[in-house]
Amino acid sequence: MTGSRRKAREVVLQALYWTESSEDPVRQTLHTMCLRTGLSSDASRFAMALGKATSARREELDGLIKSASENWALERISRIDGILMRMALTEILAFGDIPVKVSIDEAIELAKRYGVEKSPAFINGILDALVKREGIAWG
């Protein structure tokens, strides 16, 4: 399941990026991306749930990110980094079956592939600070 969930996260990242760029509906974009990439039905369900939840909680998630990103205005954070942090936070806060460490590690791996050189460390720092501050178990 790990490989299919990783691919699903990649699809969510691409769909949310597309949605933010085009203002197309999230549900439609996620559905299209799941079909185009040939995700399995389990991976598609996970992608749809993660993408819709991340989009729906954007304001809350941005508030958390902003509160932990000292000396960084939210507008200065790259779109990719912001989406990856929102996705990981959504998993941490709303997907109890996924260990916190896995959510953060997956965001870092995607940042290595899609972000800039400093993205993985930046994302790790913000997510780690939020998990510690909020008292979330690393489970």
Side-chain angles (χ1 to χ4, degrees):
M1 182 63 115
T2 303
S4 61
R5 279 201 170 177
R6 178 166 290 169
K7 184 64 180 165
R9 287 179 182 96
E10 189 173 8
V11 165
V12 173
L13 171 63
Q14 293 169 349
L16 292 176
Y17 190 92
W18 175 358
T19 298
E20 286 186 22
S21 300
S22 66
E23 297 185 21
D24 286 347
V26 172
R27 181 181 295 246
Q28 176 186 334
T29 303
L30 286 164
H31 180 71
T32 299
M33 291 299 297
C34 287
L35 291 174
R36 281 187 184 173
T37 57
L39 287 182
S40 69
S41 58
D42 284 345
S44 290
R45 278 192 293 279
F46 175 71
M48 293 294 290
L50 177 59
K52 288 188 290 186
T54 301
S55 179
R57 297 177 82 146
R58 180 177 177 153
E59 204 170 300
E60 169 197 0
L61 301 170
D62 283 352
L64 287 170
I65 294 165
K66 184 177 180 179
S67 74
S69 54
E70 297 175 17
N71 304 318
W72 278 90
L74 201 55
E75 302 76 38
R76 288 186 57 210
I77 296 173
S78 79
R79 185 177 294 176
I80 293 288
D81 291 356
I83 293 169
L84 288 172
M85 287 188 284
R86 283 185 219 112
M87 288 169 55
L89 286 170
T90 298
E91 286 186 23
I92 291 166
L93 298 171
F95 289 72
D97 64 322
I98 302 172
V100 170
K101 182 175 177 20
V102 170
S103 298
I104 293 174
D105 286 349
E106 289 293 320
I108 291 167
E109 288 304 312
L110 287 170
K112 288 177 184 176
R113 184 162 182 197
Y114 291 97
V116 297
E117 184 179 336
K118 294 183 179 185
S119 292
F122 179 70
I123 288 170
N124 185 51
I126 298 292
L127 294 175
D128 185 54
L130 283 169
V131 166
K132 286 177 182 171
R133 188 186 76 201
E134 300 295 320
I136 299 169
W138 276 86

